[in-house]
Amino acid sequence: MKIIIINIFFLFTVLYLSAQDGHQLWLRDKKAEPVTVVCKKISATISIAKKELQQSWLGNAGATVTLSIKKDNSLKQDGFRLEANSVKANSDIGILYGVYELLRRQQTSEPIKNQVFNPSYEVRILDHWDNLDGTVERGYAGHSIFWRKNDPFTVTDLDKRLWQEYARANASIGLNGAAIDNVNASPKILSTGYLRRAKAIADVFRPYGVKVYLAVNFASPSTLGALKTADPLDPGVIAWWKNKVKEIYRLIPDFGGFLVKASSEGQPGPQNYGRTHADGANMLADALKPYGGIVMWRAFVYSANNEDRAKQAYDEFMPLDGKFRDNVIVQVKNGPVDFQPREPFSPLFGAMKKTSVAPELQVTQEYLGHSVYVVFLSTMWEECLKSDTYQQRAGSTVSRCTDGSIYPQKHTVIAGVSNVGLDTNWCGNQFAQANWYAFGRLAWNDTLQSKQIADEWIKLTFYNDPSQKSGEEDYANDWNKNFLAPVKQMMLDSREAAVNFMMPLGLHHIMSANGHYGPGPWWAPKGWRPDWTPPYYHQASTNGIGFDRTRNGSDAVDQYHEPLASEFNDLSTCPENLLLWFHHLPWDYKLHNGHTLWDALCRHYEKGVNQVREFQKIWDKAASFVDSTRFIEVQRKLREQCSNAILWKDACELYFEQFSHLPVPYDLERPIHNLDTIIADEFKHSND
Ligand code: GCV
């Protein structure tokens, strides 16, 4: 009899486990207890809140939960007050956020006491680099969930279901905006067919509190409209944008605003007409102002001049501080170059004191292994957000400089470049979902720690209730010890592991030109822009390696506030993990631990590879806790990651060895690839 029961239990567990494919993200179905929900207000958002409670209530069976909308001065627009059996807020969406928080706490066994929750940023937005033909720039999870090439304007039930699931996922982590087309924007987005589709998307998003934003092409008045110019000071151009904005708000009354990549990487901008970024942004801001819309104007600008690329955004935008309208937000990537595995924070954070500045983070893993690597980006973002800029004395962290704590910004925004696509599991890798989750959680609360975020995500995504009450405690203990703890550690170590095998000690931008995935420190075709080639960044020669950004070099260090400028400038105080970002050093330079630079580099590469091998073991040991589909998917990804980590190690060791003229230290493993083969392979792919 006992055997039969155990077998039934096993069968049930296997069936339950095998039903998972990752599509439900961190919002998996639960065996809910009955609950009564009381709310005087009726609205689409409140109906969702009630339904969520009824579907997922894990509190006392038969409990009554009260949802009330009442003015409470301690709450911001989206904030809420939570108690075990009640949610209070100033708005319907505040109630919905409160309900998600309540349910998350029940599921993760976090305490629920009388507590106020307010978001760190007003606008918490995902930027989708989705092209109108359905492809996704730097997307590694299939085609766009918004656009498609064939039959582009028909809105199907399937489309609506997907948009609803997406909006629900965003709302559940506090995200309230989505820019639904690529910043390399097609003017066509502003034509009637695409605007109508954007309206259909906005209609589905609305009850979840997610607003639609559009990335626009600055030249639209001349390329889509029939004007001869797109000069932002031209009266005809001003009128064109005003009319366009009016048309958009007629369709989408709660439209959020525009996102603009201008005068950057070939995109048109005000500089084409001899105007400044402020002229361009303000013209759009004036058109949006009557409707409450905002402009997110990106500071990702650099040109092929001789100046250090890392300095250019600061040089171009600092003189404009104070010249932007209050509904313009200058959107700045976390680092001064481009979403590299490790960069110092952008010096614009905290330096622009009279302008709203938004951090832009990259959720999609363009430079961190696409959807192949397990890399939990939360630790990288935490590192940036918690960096002290010293702009208003010690404690002026990037987050406090951008979330309104220090400067009186009219609007506060944080943006994440989305990793979502049509793949069943949305993100291409089960673990990439954790980055979507982490971005939302940090956007809501920029003081959260990655270890808490990882803890929550793992519990929500992987914990399976044992199907029998007896043994529940044993199972939970086993799960905590043998699944939660090691997998959490793997996630927390994963970004540093990638840095180790790809670009340790402050190296950056040495990836292959072929899709920014594998190594490519050699890549420098004749006639190509130097700042698009790795040798520009690593500067390896027989003399040494690294980019001299000290006062003797490009002087990028002086874009930082003291004491950072001097700290970065001085070799003895420069953080070792940014050493080659700021300094060019000889191969035999001695690090604090006594290793030479060459030795240390090789040791980092090997350490990174070994860390990934360790992740494989952690995951393999976790097999009994995970359904087979998700288990196998991750196992395969980790195998691929490990093989690519070895390739990175070998390629960098063999390539840089040509300059250092030193062997890989003999206590380390030998390369298993040949450099000429790696380069030939890479060359083959870059011509694909
Ligand atoms: C959308 C990098 C990426 C580009 C991206 C650009 C940007 O250069 O490789 O694909 O373009 O950043 O952020 O605008």
Side-chain angles (χ1 to χ4, degrees):
M1 184 62 179
K2 199 171 167 198
I3 292 174
I4 294 174
I5 290 174
I6 289 172
N7 280 341
I8 291 174
F9 170 69
F10 182 73
L11 186 70
F12 196 92
T13 309
V14 169
L15 285 178
Y16 181 72
L17 289 176
S18 63
Q20 307 287 314
D21 58 14
H23 190 70
Q24 293 189 318
L25 298 159
W26 46 88
L27 294 164
R28 294 172 311 144
D29 292 340
K30 282 148 215 111
K31 284 183 249 132
E33 300 290 354
V35 64
T36 306
V37 186
V38 179
C39 184
K40 288 195 186 130
K41 176 102 189 267
I42 298 173
S43 75
T45 304
I46 296 295
S47 302
I48 294 169
K50 286 183 173 173
K51 194 169 150 209
E52 292 287 4
L53 281 167
Q54 271 141 5
Q55 273 176 357
S56 306
W57 180 253
L58 299 181
N60 293 337
T64 299
V65 177
T66 316
L67 310 177
S68 37
I69 299 164
K70 248 199 225 127
K71 187 88 200 125
D72 179 338
N73 288 337
S74 59
L75 298 180
K76 293 188 194 169
Q77 174 65 10
D78 292 347
F80 54 88
R81 184 184 289 281
L82 203 63
E83 286 174 50
N85 285 7
S86 87
V87 182
K88 294 183 182 128
N90 290 334
S91 60
D92 296 13
I93 189 65
I95 295 286
L96 184 59
Y97 291 143
V99 164
Y100 284 124
E101 181 69 30
L102 182 58
L103 295 174
R104 170 171 39 244
R105 283 174 177 262
Q106 287 183 344
Q107 221 191 323
T108 56
S109 308
E110 279 178 71
I112 302 163
K113 42 184 195 252
N114 188 341
Q115 202 181 335
V116 163
F117 295 81
N118 278 315
S120 298
Y121 293 87
E122 174 200 346
V123 177
R124 306 170 295 279
I125 184 173
L126 280 178
D127 292 354
H128 292 260
W129 289 353
D130 292 18
N131 297 311
L132 302 185
D133 66 0
T135 57
V136 180
E137 182 156 348
R138 312 302 177 191
Y140 313 105
H143 274 61
S144 169
I145 63 169
F146 301 123
W147 316 109
R148 61 171 164 262
K149 193 168 176 182
N150 299 324
D151 196 12
F153 302 128
T154 306
V155 174
T156 65
D157 286 345
L158 198 66
D159 287 333
K160 286 198 205 159
R161 200 175 79 209
L162 210 59
W163 300 339
Q164 183 261 327
E165 288 171 340
Y166 164 84
R168 176 179 178 236
N170 276 347
S172 75
I173 48 175
L175 293 174
N176 65 357
I180 56 178
D181 61 315
N182 192 355
V183 288
N184 289 328
S186 163
K188 280 196 298 193
I189 186 67
L190 294 175
S191 60
T192 313
Y194 286 103
L195 286 181
R196 290 216 176 110
R197 192 165 172 90
K199 172 198 162 36
I201 296 168
D203 288 345
V204 176
F205 284 4
R206 192 162 296 113
Y208 289 92
V210 179
K211 282 188 184 179
V212 158
Y213 296 74
L214 295 177
V216 293
N217 184 299
F218 198 77
S220 299
S222 53
T223 42
L224 180 70
L227 303 191
K228 287 210 172 65
T229 177
D231 179 348
L233 301 193
D234 180 275
V237 170
I238 297 171
W240 189 91
W241 280 108
K242 277 196 172 146
N243 282 334
K244 191 47 80 179
V245 166
K246 194 166 166 192
E247 182 188 345
I248 297 173
Y249 276 95
R250 254 204 312 264
L251 289 166
I252 310 172
D254 56 351
F255 177 65
F258 294 143
L259 168 64
V260 191
K261 172 174 178 177
S263 304
S264 160
E265 295 189 332
Q267 291 302 310
Q271 291 170 339
N272 296 45
Y273 312 94
R275 312 296 180 192
T276 67
H277 286 287
D279 293 331
N282 290 343
M283 180 271 295
L284 294 176
D286 290 343
L288 289 159
K289 183 84 175 176
Y291 308 91
I294 61 170
V295 176
M296 291 161 293
W297 191 269
R298 299 178 81 228
F300 180 62
V301 295
Y302 61 99
S303 55
N305 60 26
N306 289 331
E307 186 64 288
D308 174 5
R309 171 171 166 187
K311 289 178 66 180
Q312 293 188 32
Y314 183 98
D315 286 346
E316 214 166 308
F317 276 84
M318 276 308 286
L320 300 175
D321 191 20
K323 299 220 161 72
F324 292 98
R325 301 279 192 268
D326 66 5
N327 59 333
V328 173
I329 296 92
V330 173
Q331 189 165 305
V332 179
K333 289 189 181 184
N334 57 284
V337 171
D338 190 10
F339 298 137
Q340 293 302 292
R342 171 164 279 119
E343 297 191 36
F345 66 87
S346 162
L348 279 169
F349 292 123
M352 292 187 88
K353 297 180 169 51
K354 294 181 244 150
T355 307
S356 297
V357 174
E360 180 180 302
L361 310 173
Q362 196 179 39
V363 188
T364 190
Q365 292 167 235
E366 175 180 357
Y367 298 100
L368 279 149
H370 299 182
S371 54
V372 175
Y373 293 4
V374 171
V375 175
F376 184 47
L377 297 170
S378 182
T379 52
M380 175 162 105
W381 302 331
E382 198 187 335
E383 182 177 295
C384 170
L385 292 171
K386 291 188 178 156
S387 292
D388 200 341
T389 69
Y390 292 95
Q391 289 285 350
Q392 298 290 104
R393 293 183 297 278
S396 309
T397 56
V398 170
S399 50
R400 297 189 66 241
C401 288
T402 53
D403 70 7
S405 306
I406 294 186
Y407 305 124
Q409 303 192 179
K410 168 96 177 180
H411 296 283
T412 60
V413 175
I414 186 165
V417 180
S418 162
N419 61 353
V420 164
L422 277 178
D423 277 8
T424 304
N425 69 20
W426 298 91
C427 304
N429 182 332
Q430 304 290 341
F431 274 83
Q433 297 178 356
N435 294 329
W436 180 4
Y437 182 84
F439 173 70
R441 297 290 287 132
L442 281 169
W444 180 275
N445 180 354
D446 58 16
T447 65
L448 277 183
Q449 296 191 344
S450 298
K451 61 179 184 224
Q452 182 189 330
I453 299 173
D455 194 273
E456 286 174 9
W457 179 79
I458 298 170
K459 286 175 178 163
L460 298 170
T461 307
F462 288 110
Y463 187 73
N464 293 302
D465 280 336
S467 44
Q468 285 184 333
K469 283 285 174 193
S470 64
E472 193 169 330
E473 210 174 301
D474 287 349
Y475 178 82
N477 287 338
D478 190 20
W479 190 86
N480 282 335
K481 184 163 163 252
N482 295 315
F483 185 79
L484 177 64
V487 171
K488 186 164 45 179
Q489 199 53 53
M490 168 175 89
M491 289 172 72
L492 295 175
D493 292 343
S494 58
R495 182 271 187 138
E496 204 59 46
V499 170
N500 280 332
F501 69 74
M502 299 170 101
M503 304 183 205
L505 297 172
L507 282 176
H508 51 286
H509 214 287
I510 62 167
M511 65 290 158
S512 71
N514 170 35
H516 300 175
Y517 178 66
W522 50 81
W523 194 81
K526 267 215 176 75
W528 201 250
R529 266 177 72 161
D531 59 336
W532 281 351
T533 71
Y536 170 92
Y537 298 93
H538 63 63
Q539 305 266 320
S541 70
T542 47
N543 295 337
I545 182 169
F547 199 121
D548 186 357
R549 296 193 167 104
T550 67
R551 289 170 186 147
N552 297 324
S554 78
D555 196 23
V557 290
D558 275 318
Q559 290 185 338
Y560 291 90
H561 199 281
E562 290 292 9
L564 281 184
S566 297
E567 248 173 63
F568 290 151
N569 187 62
D570 184 339
L571 254 182
S572 64
T573 49
C574 181
E576 209 157 87
N577 60 16
L578 291 174
L579 209 55
L580 302 178
W581 183 282
F582 287 115
H583 295 267
H584 183 82
L585 295 171
W587 297 103
D588 60 356
Y589 172 78
K590 280 255 167 54
L591 270 71
H592 295 308
N593 64 6
H595 285 297
T596 64
L597 181 58
W598 171 249
D599 253 40
L601 269 180
C602 295
R603 284 178 203 285
H604 274 286
Y605 295 136
E606 183 150 319
K607 181 171 181 191
V609 169
N610 285 334
Q611 284 174 297
V612 181
R613 289 180 176 136
E614 199 48 43
F615 299 162
Q616 289 188 279
K617 288 184 197 155
I618 289 172
W619 191 250
D620 284 356
K621 278 195 229 160
S624 63
F625 297 102
V626 190
D627 46 281
S628 59
T629 308
R630 291 189 299 172
F631 175 78
I632 290 167
E633 256 183 57
V634 174
Q635 189 182 51
R636 294 174 78 97
K637 298 276 182 185
L638 280 168
R639 284 177 185 156
E640 226 183 300
Q641 179 175 355
C642 190
S643 113
N644 199 246
I646 298 170
L647 195 78
W648 265 98
K649 172 182 96 53
D650 289 1
C652 292
E653 284 174 353
L654 295 171
Y655 173 74
F656 290 132
E657 195 181 67
Q658 302 177 118
F659 303 100
S660 76
H661 299 297
L662 293 164
V664 173
Y666 294 113
D667 61 318
L668 299 185
E669 63 184 61
R670 318 320 294 161
I672 55 169
H673 300 91
N674 291 310
L675 186 60
D676 51 358
T677 328
I678 303 177
I679 295 178
D681 262 11
E682 162 55 18
F683 183 72
K684 215 163 51 208
H685 289 304
S686 57
N687 285 336
D688 279 352

